[in-house]
Amino acid sequence: MTDSMKRRSFLQGAALLGAGMVSKAGAATLPEAPVQGSAATAAPLVPPNGRPYNPVVTLNGWSLPWRMKDGVKEFHLVAEPVVRELAPGMHANLWGYNGQSPGPTIEVVEGDRVRIFVTNKLPEHTSVHWHGQILPNGMDGVSGVTQPSIQPGKTFVYEFVAKHAGTFMYHPHADEMAQMAMGMMGFWVTHPKDPRQHAVDRDFVFLLSAYDIEPGSYTPKVNTMLDFNLWTFNSRVFPAIDPMVVRQGERVRIRAGNLTMTNHPLHVHGHTFEVTGTDGGWVRPSARWPEVTTDVAVGQMRAIEFVADNPGDWAFHCHKSHHTMNAMGHDVPTLIGVDHRGVAEKINKLVPGYMVMGEKGGAMGGMRMPLPENTLPMMTGTGQFGEIEMGGMFTLLKVREGLARGDYRDPGHYRHPKGTVAYEWTGEAPPAPSAPGGKAGRADGALDVRRGGASTGHEGH
Amino acid sequence: MNIKSPLRLTAATAVLLALTGCASFSGDAGMGAIDPLVQARTGAPARTLKTEADRRALDELLQARLAQPLSADGAVEIALLNNRTLQASYWELGIAEADLVQAGRLQNPAFGYQHMRGGGDVSIERTLTFNLVSLITAPLASRIEGRQFEQTRQQVAAEAVQVAADTRRAWVEAVAATQAVEYARQVAGAAEASAELGQRMRQAGNWSAYDQAREQAFYAEAMADVARATQAATAAREHLTRLLGLWGTQAQYRLPERLPELPAAPRDIADVEQRAVRERLDVQAANLATQRTASALGLSRATRFVNVLELGAVRESDGGAKARGYEVTLEIPLFDWGGARTARAEAVYMQAVNRLAATATDARSAARESYQAYRSAYDVARHYRDVVIPLRKKLSDETLLRYNGMLLSTFELLADAREQRSAVNAYVGALKDFWLAESSLETALGGRLPAVVPPSQQGATQ
């Protein structure tokens, strides 16, 4: 969209202006702050120096490069307003780091000394809390408690040793309600010293976040507490979330952190998995149990692992059904079973362009009607067999034979072996079973519900 | 007065008759004098219906005008010819003219024949009596009746102009009221659809009695609004019908469905005050009154020493019967040399001068106020047309988009439809106010304003 292009170039202008405000002497001592503009999934960042590790893949995100200085890994985060493409056709005015929201994933190795420069280009003060890290109290990033907040235009330095391998995240601990509602967050992975320890073939990471963006607007309503209308993996919604592509037989790890205000039961089809890690560390093998769904509570992180032994296109999603929808009206009354004959014509006379929806259920049967500016259909996405009717926290785990190592390209729809797809039965219908002693259901299949006050007294009109 | 030898007087009578310069009938009951006055101010002719031919011509005109939806100009045209109260006033003019002509005519001479027989004597006396006083007073009486006629002319013209303005306003009210019924019906239609859908929701088990009753209540109130609007429309139309003097099948005339659209620009009148002072009949009447008292003053001054006559108009009211005339008093200037009379005439004159000044001041003020009201009414109507209605339309479009995205329900869509129609109704109200303000402006400026601005082609009333 041209609007977002304009906004983007404006933001770049603002970033340049901000950079110009840093003094030359100061700038020389700061490591580079790389910027990412694309919402595509970046290739894993193979470590160019320091200890070796198996890099992770950030869904629709990227990992932050560093510089080594006197044996210290130096990163530079720039907190700033950004425009995030939640899905093609919808952009959000968010706050993030280095051109994106969520910010880049920081990957370090157990025992690394880490120095992180944080420059604040937001209109208000901020701080960064390194969620789950065991570090000196003064590095914990709680403004007012452990440090003064970082004022606009200022740069602070955090320095600590990444003591424990595991799955972490970072986010502000200053005006955090507004700043997290605006998308200030990022992933953090501390790899084990020995790359063979907990080694997996593919390691996907993402954060769960939620936004309330009124259709037709661009900025989230930061005061919304629970009634969000966009539920995201890394600030992307299906069908714009990249699939997790793996080769059949590979060991796969998926790590997710929850920075929304409700829990998310993450569910994988076609495989069982074990929860192998939390933000508290690795789960002992004896304590793991098999799951197909794991609940990620608010402020928690989970790492699940499984062997992708079952080829196909497998749904991976939050099991709260509203979380696999995009923007929708939560106060719209249920129209299921409501006869619209006669009324629809009357309404059409008053509101040209009116179409009856919902009298048979929520599905829109592939209808594509004009929507308000900058929003997405409630359910969307098309598969090889038709409408997927999903949005939000939903993507596909694509397991394929014979993919190359490190090949994350979308292999397209799964080609089912003959006779392995559910099909329509065209033979004689089997007799309906009846419960012993139970009376048969009504012939028309309608529920026989009795209500009080069924007489409406409205026939006179 | 008995004159033994009347023959010599015949010639004298003829001379006197010539001197009085007596008035004669105009042949059209005096309407010829006011028709231009009325036409200039209303755009339509004023004519007395006298003959069967006149009646037929009117019927033909009515037939032609009522075959089409009646325009405001057409309504004014009909009212000026067919309003019977106005026709009665037109005849007032005929009465005044007759009085004027009568005043200009000398009383008929009376011929007397006396035959007496007594003491064997027979005397025959033939007399031709002639009212000499009337001969002396005839010019004065003529002058009084002339003024009376002039005044009646002013009155009748003013009445016709008033009826024209009333008709124009009644037409605007009637058309707007009809439109209001249409919009009330649309609002009720939206409420009806809501109520019906609410009933179906209840039947399907999706809604409570509370929700259904709420939608029904909207509908019930909307129906009451339709009834009220219909009653108001009937009243407005009947008011117009009365002014048009129509009844029977002719009362079933049609009106346009909509008020005329707002002109592209308001009239820009730089000289509203001058125009009011120049054109208004009340100012003209005050002006004439001043001129009359001025001439009376001049007369008093000229005749103060030899004044033998006191002239006065008499208007008597005895119970229901009204009589009008004049009286002449003969007076011998022995004690009163006319000074007081002159002073009185002077005072009357100054009174008239001040009344003229007051009338002109009021007219100027009314002109300014009406023009300001007219411009404001235009701005309000334009605001509705160019700002409020497009915004309402935009809101409706956006509401439909939100319905499409299942962000809002059908009920909100219908509630918006109701609100949109209310806004359109408010625009019709503003448009009505504008046309009424234009009519008031014309009244305040003394007559019909030229159509300087062609009606706007854009900005539909939807």
Side-chain angles (χ1 to χ4, degrees):
Chain A
M1 287 171 82
T2 50
D3 272 3
S4 70
M5 295 293 285
K6 272 181 211 155
R7 195 167 289 112
R8 187 173 297 282
S9 60
F10 165 73
L11 286 170
Q12 280 170 352
L16 286 172
L17 188 69
M21 278 151 57
V22 179
S23 74
K24 271 188 181 169
T29 63
L30 277 172
E32 191 194 357
V35 170
Q36 175 62 270
S38 162
T41 303
L45 177 66
V46 178
N49 50 40
R51 294 186 177 101
Y53 62 81
N54 297 319
V56 299
V57 172
T58 308
L59 270 189
N60 295 99
W62 60 303
S63 288
L64 185 62
W66 67 84
R67 79 174 178 194
M68 290 298 282
K69 195 173 183 193
D70 308 326
V72 179
K73 271 188 180 167
E74 285 190 343
F75 295 90
H76 189 177
L77 283 178
V78 178
E80 61 186 359
V82 301
V83 174
R84 172 72 168 180
E85 186 195 68
L86 297 186
M90 181 168 185
H91 293 79
N93 295 338
L94 299 180
W95 288 354
Y97 300 93
N98 300 44
Q100 279 290 0
S101 170
T105 300
I106 292 175
E107 293 181 73
V108 297
V109 179
E110 196 179 8
D112 274 353
R113 186 163 196 86
V114 180
R115 188 178 296 131
I116 305 149
F117 296 85
V118 178
T119 299
N120 184 8
K121 287 185 187 166
L122 296 174
E124 68 166 357
H125 62 266
T126 188
S127 73
V128 185
H129 166 58
W130 314 98
H131 179 112
Q133 304 283 351
I134 305 304
L135 37 59
N137 187 226
M139 292 296 161
D140 200 37
V142 182
S143 68
V145 176
T146 66
Q147 66 165 91
S149 57
I150 310 168
Q151 293 303 313
K154 302 293 182 191
T155 300
F156 271 46
V157 183
Y158 294 88
E159 188 169 335
F160 54 89
V161 174
K163 283 185 182 166
H164 306 285
T167 305
F168 308 103
M169 52 191 174
Y170 61 89
H171 61 80
H173 230 298
D175 190 20
E176 62 193 84
M177 186 200 87
Q179 294 190 8
M180 283 165 67
M182 289 293 284
M184 299 284 286
M185 57 190 72
F187 215 95
W188 179 300
V189 175
T190 303
H191 294 279
K193 247 181 214 159
D194 178 359
R196 288 167 300 180
Q197 199 183 353
H198 312 302
V200 290
D201 300 300
R202 307 213 179 197
D203 197 343
F204 296 98
V205 310
F206 58 88
L207 289 170
L208 303 165
S209 58
Y211 301 97
D212 184 16
I213 303 177
E214 283 278 305
S217 75
Y218 292 81
T219 308
K221 289 162 78 175
V222 298
N223 293 326
T224 297
M225 187 172 175
L226 294 171
D227 202 12
F228 296 93
N229 61 12
L230 293 158
W231 302 91
T232 73
F233 292 172
N234 272 351
S235 304
R236 289 284 278 191
V237 294
F238 185 74
I241 301 174
D242 283 337
M244 292 185 282
V245 179
V246 302
R247 184 172 69 168
Q248 190 181 350
E250 279 183 333
R251 187 168 181 81
V252 179
R253 181 183 293 131
I254 299 171
R255 315 190 205 208
N258 181 1
L259 284 176
T260 72
M261 287 198 259
T262 188
N263 60 312
H264 297 283
L266 292 181
H267 175 55
V268 183
H269 293 209
H271 297 81
T272 59
F273 61 79
E274 289 176 338
V275 178
T276 57
T278 73
D279 26 359
W282 297 106
V283 180
R284 292 186 304 280
S286 61
R288 300 173 184 177
W289 67 63
E291 282 281 23
V292 293
T293 303
T294 186
D295 198 21
V296 188
V298 179
Q300 285 187 333
M301 311 205 74
R302 290 287 179 271
I304 64 168
E305 288 178 29
F306 58 94
V307 175
D309 51 5
N310 197 357
D313 288 348
W314 301 106
F316 175 92
H317 59 95
C318 172
H319 217 293
K320 286 190 173 176
S321 53
H322 271 217
H323 295 183
T324 52
M325 292 286 128
N326 291 326
M328 59 186 282
H330 294 138
D331 296 323
V332 174
T334 304
L335 291 172
I336 292 171
V338 177
D339 184 1
H340 275 66
R341 276 172 300 178
V343 187
E345 290 74 44
K346 275 183 197 166
I347 299 172
N348 223 307
K349 253 186 256 167
L350 295 158
V351 187
Y354 170 81
M355 287 181 78
V356 174
M357 287 189 293
E359 87 279 23
K360 290 173 187 155
M364 288 180 265
M367 273 195 278
R368 284 282 175 270
M369 285 185 290
L371 294 177
E373 174 194 356
N374 201 45
T375 192
L376 298 165
M378 189 172 125
M379 350 168 140
T380 184
T382 308
Q384 58 180 317
F385 298 113
E387 296 285 312
I388 300 177
E389 300 182 336
M390 290 280 179
M393 293 174 161
F394 181 96
T395 189
L396 292 171
L397 172 70
K398 294 196 170 188
V399 182
R400 295 288 189 278
E401 261 186 304
L403 291 182
R405 289 189 75 80
D407 183 359
Y408 292 89
R409 286 173 302 173
D410 186 344
H413 298 309
Y414 179 62
R415 297 164 77 92
H416 300 267
K418 199 171 162 48
T420 64
V421 177
Y423 59 98
E424 182 190 0
W425 176 258
T426 52
E428 200 179 322
S434 60
K439 64 172 183 176
R442 277 170 52 172
D444 60 1
L447 289 174
D448 188 9
V449 179
R450 292 182 67 85
R451 295 187 314 275
S455 166
T456 62
H458 192 56
E459 288 74 19
H461 292 298
Chain B
M1 208 176 282
N2 294 342
I3 296 161
K4 292 245 176 188
S5 178
L7 294 174
R8 274 182 296 156
L9 269 174
T10 323
T13 309
V15 171
L16 276 167
L17 274 173
L19 283 175
T20 56
C22 78
S24 59
F25 285 106
S26 57
D28 61 356
M31 284 302 286
I34 73 152
D35 185 41
L37 278 180
V38 174
Q39 274 217 39
R41 282 163 181 78
T42 66
R47 233 169 261 127
T48 324
L49 300 177
K50 287 164 77 178
T51 62
E52 193 51 38
D54 291 345
R55 174 50 63 190
R56 269 201 304 278
L58 175 62
D59 279 345
E60 272 165 33
L61 178 95
L62 286 177
Q63 213 162 15
R65 290 290 175 272
L66 301 183
Q68 305 291 326
L70 187 59
S71 69
D73 289 340
V76 168
E77 191 181 6
I78 290 174
L80 288 181
L81 299 176
N82 200 45
N83 182 310
R84 290 316 181 88
T85 313
L86 199 54
Q87 279 292 329
S89 297
Y90 292 163
W91 282 108
E92 191 81 14
L93 204 63
I95 295 168
E97 192 189 41
D99 286 348
L100 172 63
V101 173
Q102 183 67 55
R105 290 190 182 166
L106 295 175
Q107 275 182 17
N108 289 331
F111 177 73
Y113 176 85
Q114 196 177 42
H115 186 124
M116 289 175 83
R117 196 199 307 250
D121 229 6
V122 176
S123 85
I124 295 168
E125 190 174 286
R126 284 165 295 178
T127 56
L128 181 67
T129 54
F130 188 81
N131 191 334
L132 199 59
V133 172
S134 81
L135 190 69
I136 298 164
T137 58
L140 301 166
S142 250
R143 197 177 295 143
I144 289 171
E145 288 299 342
R147 284 173 199 163
Q148 193 67 50
F149 180 63
E150 208 166 65
Q151 203 177 328
T152 306
R153 203 161 65 187
Q154 292 277 346
Q155 262 171 14
V156 170
E159 208 170 313
V161 169
Q162 186 60 49
V163 166
D166 289 349
T167 305
R168 199 171 284 281
R169 295 173 70 86
W171 182 90
V172 170
E173 298 272 9
V175 175
T178 311
Q179 267 186 280
V181 173
E182 182 195 326
Y183 286 116
R185 287 215 180 100
Q186 289 182 4
V187 168
E192 186 194 8
S194 274
E196 206 169 323
L197 195 58
Q199 188 193 7
R200 309 265 181 100
M201 294 282 284
R202 176 92 179 117
Q203 277 164 356
N206 301 10
W207 254 14
S208 66
Y210 167 82
D211 291 321
Q212 192 203 344
R214 192 188 51 217
E215 295 303 323
Q216 272 182 286
F218 281 142
Y219 179 44
E221 281 184 26
M223 287 307 289
D225 287 344
V226 171
R228 268 197 288 271
T230 308
Q231 168 53 29
T234 306
R237 188 187 161 92
E238 284 304 328
H239 182 218
L240 175 63
T241 308
R242 282 196 294 279
L243 285 164
L244 295 174
L246 296 177
W247 57 281
T249 51
Q250 287 179 334
Q252 288 158 14
Y253 60 91
R254 283 173 299 144
L255 288 171
E257 286 178 6
R258 309 205 176 292
L259 287 172
E261 296 199 355
L262 198 63
R267 297 171 189 282
D268 204 356
I269 308 173
D271 58 341
V272 278
E273 293 179 40
Q274 291 90 316
R275 189 186 276 263
V277 168
R278 193 173 64 233
E279 301 289 337
R280 277 174 71 132
L281 287 174
D282 59 340
V283 179
Q284 289 188 359
N287 199 16
L288 282 172
T290 311
Q291 283 171 19
R292 277 201 298 273
T293 51
S295 61
L297 174 62
L299 184 70
S300 292
R301 276 192 181 134
T303 59
R304 57 185 295 186
F305 302 113
V306 288
N307 191 8
V308 288
L309 286 171
E310 195 169 76
L311 286 162
V314 175
R315 198 180 180 91
E316 264 180 21
S317 186
D318 184 12
K322 278 180 188 162
R324 230 171 32 184
Y326 50 90
E327 69 178 6
V328 182
T329 314
L330 273 166
E331 196 182 293
I332 302 159
L334 194 58
F335 311 110
D336 179 5
W337 289 90
R341 234 182 346 265
T342 311
R344 185 179 192 282
E346 232 171 56
V348 167
Y349 171 69
M350 285 316 291
Q351 204 173 33
V353 166
N354 280 293
R355 284 200 178 122
L356 171 60
T359 307
T361 308
D362 288 353
R364 283 168 184 272
S365 170
R368 284 193 306 270
E369 187 187 347
S370 302
Y371 185 56
Q372 191 56 49
Y374 164 83
R375 295 295 293 245
S376 303
Y378 183 87
D379 289 346
V380 170
R382 185 173 55 189
H383 178 73
Y384 267 94
R385 186 193 68 188
D386 296 349
V387 181
V388 177
I389 296 298
L391 279 175
R392 274 286 6 150
K393 177 83 174 68
K394 175 87 179 153
L395 269 176
S396 292
D397 291 348
E398 288 292 329
T399 304
L400 183 59
L401 291 180
R402 274 155 185 76
Y403 169 78
N404 288 347
M406 291 181 107
L407 303 160
L408 292 177
S409 72
T410 310
F411 295 96
E412 279 146 316
L413 206 57
L414 288 170
D416 177 78
R418 290 200 293 264
E419 279 175 34
Q420 195 198 4
R421 272 149 188 84
S422 298
V424 171
N425 204 22
Y427 169 52
V428 173
L431 197 58
K432 178 184 90 171
D433 290 345
F434 167 75
W435 288 116
L436 292 180
E438 193 192 56
S439 175
S440 297
L441 176 65
E442 287 182 342
T443 304
L445 296 190
R448 193 100 182 92
L449 295 165
V452 284
V453 185
S456 161
Q457 296 305 311
Q458 46 181 332
T461 53
Q462 109 98 58

